[in-house]
Amino acid sequence: MNHGFTDPSRCPSGPSAAERISTERSSPAGHRPPVPSGRTVPEKQFGAFLVAATLSGEEQLVVTNQELANRTGLGTETVSEVMSFVDRASLVNKSPGKFHVTETGWAIAEMYQQDETQARLLLQEQFLACSSVTDPVIEALHDAPVPQELLAQRLQERFSCKGRRALYLLDWLVLALVVRRDSSKRISPSVALSATAGAARRSEAPAPVPEPGALMGMTNRELRALPPLQYIAVLDNVADLVSLASA
């Protein structure tokens, strides 16, 4: 399905390449904490992103923070912090004082007008790919379900952030279907987050060390348990290897 991704060969004439922000990151994301602004609630932050995507459009036009502030009624400092956070999730590309929406960001904003759930699933993919956010959350949810306030306190300590920024991060992660919040405001990892954590653990697990005396990767006990024909095939393979080595 076409989610509105820009085809560069069909882009209308507009700002020159020099007037666009480079698609490369303007500064390392690791120099700022991976938490959203604490200046306004996440609902308004996401709304600001949707307005930002509309202003930038499919053509990925450059928009200034001041333009977005004028359209949303938020302060420029608030806008800057909001754009820094969604930049981390690759929804926009941000540089000092300005930004443009990414292809993925535009696709999510466009889909949100048609199918909110599908847009949230697209948003989920972006956050799951952001290990600087998800790794600490997975660690903090080791004894899930965790009361929201306690989890926010753990993340506040982990990210060395103040105010409600950790709570607001949880609101973003609920929106992105990365975590689940029940009626008692307890937080659990989503199936997708648990699967991501499991895959990461498997990739980090050391390769199994063959047992001493193993032949063709099998121990003596495993060899003796083979059916006769398979046992003969293994011996034939060993004989072939020996003949190749001595050739």
Side-chain angles (χ1 to χ4, degrees):
M1 180 183 295
N2 187 332
H3 294 308
F5 289 174
T6 302
D7 180 351
S9 66
R10 296 188 291 107
C11 282
S13 60
S16 66
E19 293 173 311
R20 292 178 178 269
I21 302 174
S22 168
T23 55
E24 296 295 325
R25 296 289 184 203
S26 58
S27 61
H31 292 307
R32 59 182 186 271
V35 289
S37 172
R39 296 172 180 265
T40 189
V41 295
E43 291 82 1
K44 289 187 176 181
Q45 295 182 37
F46 186 68
F49 158 68
L50 294 177
V51 173
T54 300
L55 290 173
S56 185
E58 186 176 3
E59 297 82 6
Q60 298 177 277
L61 303 177
V62 174
V63 180
T64 66
N65 289 351
Q66 187 62 60
E67 289 178 83
L68 183 56
N70 292 341
R71 287 290 297 270
T72 60
L74 299 174
T76 54
E77 287 297 321
T78 301
V79 164
S80 179
E81 289 184 1
V82 172
M83 291 299 101
S84 291
F85 182 69
V86 295
D87 171 77
R88 181 178 289 276
S90 300
L91 304 183
V92 303
N93 278 335
K94 179 182 181 296
S95 65
K98 55 187 176 180
F99 61 88
H100 72 75
V101 71
T102 62
E103 289 185 343
T104 300
W106 170 250
I108 290 171
E110 187 180 46
M111 180 59 70
Y112 193 79
Q113 309 306 320
Q114 306 167 26
D115 187 331
E116 180 179 327
T117 300
Q118 184 61 34
R120 292 173 70 186
L121 288 170
L122 294 175
L123 192 62
Q124 180 191 74
E125 292 180 17
Q126 296 305 110
F127 277 95
L128 289 178
C130 189
S131 60
S132 61
V133 173
T134 56
D135 286 356
V137 171
I138 290 169
E139 293 173 8
L141 282 171
H142 64 88
D143 54 348
V146 179
Q148 178 175 267
E149 293 290 339
L150 174 59
L151 181 58
Q153 182 180 343
R154 291 176 180 177
L155 294 176
Q156 184 172 321
E157 294 171 356
R158 173 65 175 78
F159 294 129
S160 300
C161 61
K162 298 180 180 179
R164 299 182 60 82
R165 299 181 73 181
L167 271 175
Y168 286 175
L169 174 61
L170 294 178
D171 287 339
W172 268 99
L173 296 180
V174 169
L175 172 68
L177 304 176
V178 173
V179 299
R180 294 180 290 107
R181 179 165 50 203
D182 64 21
S183 58
S184 300
K185 292 190 174 182
R186 296 179 303 174
I187 306 293
S188 300
S190 67
V191 172
L193 181 59
S194 297
T196 299
R201 285 194 295 267
R202 288 192 295 273
S203 66
E204 294 170 359
V209 179
E211 292 185 24
L215 179 64
M216 301 291 289
M218 289 180 286
T219 64
N220 288 336
R221 178 180 298 178
E222 290 170 331
L223 284 169
R224 287 194 297 269
L226 289 175
L229 291 178
Q230 290 185 27
Y231 183 77
I232 293 170
V234 170
L235 294 181
D236 286 342
N237 286 334
V238 172
D240 291 341
L241 290 174
V242 171
S243 63
L244 287 173
S246 59

